[in-house]
Amino acid sequence: MGPQPATGWSQHMVAAVIAFCAVFTGWWMFGDPRQVLAHHAFPDRPAPWEAVNAVYFPDREDRATKLVRPRFVSMQECRNWIYREATRAGDPRLRRGDWVCEIVAGDTVRLSLK
């Protein structure tokens, strides 16, 4: 008698691995796994591959006028820059102005925080 063909759980394991690889490949090609990972693993701070853009509005009523400084590494660097700009504009307590720190991956804003 020769070797018996694989049956049962081994065939199911092969099918499961193939299905997983197909789903993962599709997600990688047509989705954005880094964005999903960043959203779940780093919900309130930038992921290591993301940056932080600072946006300062000297007048909170005029959102069209703004100063933008891209590519900070951390939220604290963003906030420091905002408060320096507000102080330069004569509004150190941000009573007239407004601001936001945007966590970005490439050109996509994932999250805006204060």
Side-chain angles (χ1 to χ4, degrees), residues 20-41:
F20 174 79
C21 290
V23 168
F24 186 78
T25 301
W27 181 40
W28 191 268
M29 291 175 62
F30 301 111
D32 194 351
R34 288 170 53 122
Q35 183 82 351
V36 172
L37 179 63
H39 178 73
H40 291 290

Side-chain angles (χ1 to χ4, degrees), residues 34-109:
R34 288 170 53 122
Q35 183 82 351
V36 172
L37 179 63
H39 178 73
H40 291 290
F42 305 93
D44 59 350
R45 66 182 197 275
W49 57 86
E50 294 178 313
V52 180
N53 292 346
V55 182
Y56 169 62
F57 304 95
D59 180 359
R60 71 178 62 232
E61 303 300 323
D62 179 14
R63 304 293 271 192
T65 303
K66 62 186 174 184
L67 297 173
V68 179
R69 168 69 163 65
R71 303 295 176 210
F72 288 105
V73 175
S74 71
M75 293 293 292
Q76 190 58 49
E77 289 179 2
C78 173
R79 290 182 187 110
N80 291 345
W81 183 84
I82 295 288
Y83 284 103
R84 278 195 307 272
E85 291 302 314
T87 300
R88 286 185 187 145
D91 187 20
R93 297 188 186 265
L94 285 164
R95 292 193 172 129
R96 291 186 318 267
D98 200 7
W99 62 279
V100 67
C101 290
E102 302 172 333
I103 297 176
V104 296
D107 294 332
T108 305
V109 176

